[in-house]
Amino acid sequence: MADLNNAIRELLERLNQRPFRKREGSRASVFATVERNALRALPVEPFDMSQWSYARVNIDYHIAFDANLYSVSYTLVQERVEVRATPTTIEIFHQGQRVASHVRGHGREQVFTQREHRPKESPSASGVDALTHGELGRTDRTAHSQVV
């Protein structure tokens, strides 16, 4: 790999020094006279690649975003929430407070900020609590596929 990188570096240097055919100079000379002066330092903080949107919590206490379902606390059913999506994370906010955070996409482990996820009076609450959220997602999708 090191030999390959050295060979590429040599070829790149030759390419940058090669004169233009239809005008004066080369890539290296244009960079030195024009582009170098326009360069600025990189920002201290990285660019935030997030997308904000709104969603309404469905009766199954999930929101739909980007063809996936993400769960929130049952207490937010029918509430409007804000969704912040980054390339790797989905964060859900209600009245300015983060109420859930998920790894983006299906079948991955999910992190919740609220302790209770289902109502205690739910007859299946004890069975659900024994599953991890990733297992719960796979179970729900399997049952849904069978129904459909």
Side-chain angles (χ1 to χ4, degrees):
M1 189 60 116
D3 291 340
L4 181 62
N5 284 333
N6 287 333
I8 291 172
R9 206 171 286 117
E10 290 173 15
L11 291 172
L12 183 62
E13 184 62 29
R14 285 192 353 211
L15 175 70
N16 287 335
Q17 296 300 330
R18 189 173 66 197
F20 290 128
R21 291 182 183 178
K22 296 185 178 183
R23 65 179 190 166
E24 294 294 317
S26 65
R27 288 176 176 85
S29 65
V30 170
F31 175 78
T33 58
V34 177
E35 296 174 3
R36 179 174 283 152
N37 296 331
L39 290 177
R40 290 184 279 153
L42 291 173
V44 175
E45 294 185 24
F47 182 73
D48 182 15
M49 293 281 297
S50 61
Q51 170 189 354
W52 286 87
S53 63
Y54 292 98
R56 186 150 316 265
V57 179
N58 201 350
I59 61 172
D60 64 354
Y61 48 89
H62 285 81
I63 63 159
F65 181 82
D66 196 27
N68 291 310
L69 296 176
Y70 299 96
S71 58
V72 298
S73 173
Y74 71 95
T75 60
L76 296 175
V77 168
Q78 298 299 316
E79 293 287 330
R80 184 177 180 198
V81 294
E82 291 180 310
V83 180
R84 178 179 178 255
T86 68
T88 58
T89 307
I90 300 292
E91 291 181 298
I92 303 164
F93 294 84
H94 181 254
Q95 297 178 347
Q97 298 286 345
R98 188 173 76 167
V99 295
S101 178
H102 299 270
V103 174
R104 193 166 188 170
H106 275 306
R108 297 188 180 127
E109 202 64 28
Q110 300 170 349
V111 178
F112 298 92
T113 58
Q114 291 196 353
R115 184 172 178 90
E116 294 194 20
H117 189 58
R118 286 194 180 210
K120 288 187 178 188
E121 59 272 7
S122 170
S124 63
S126 61
V128 171
D129 292 341
L131 296 173
T132 67
H133 294 293
E135 291 168 336
L136 177 62
R138 286 187 290 279
T139 303
D140 287 346
R141 283 192 301 284
T142 302
H144 180 265
S145 296
Q146 291 170 350
V147 170
V148 172

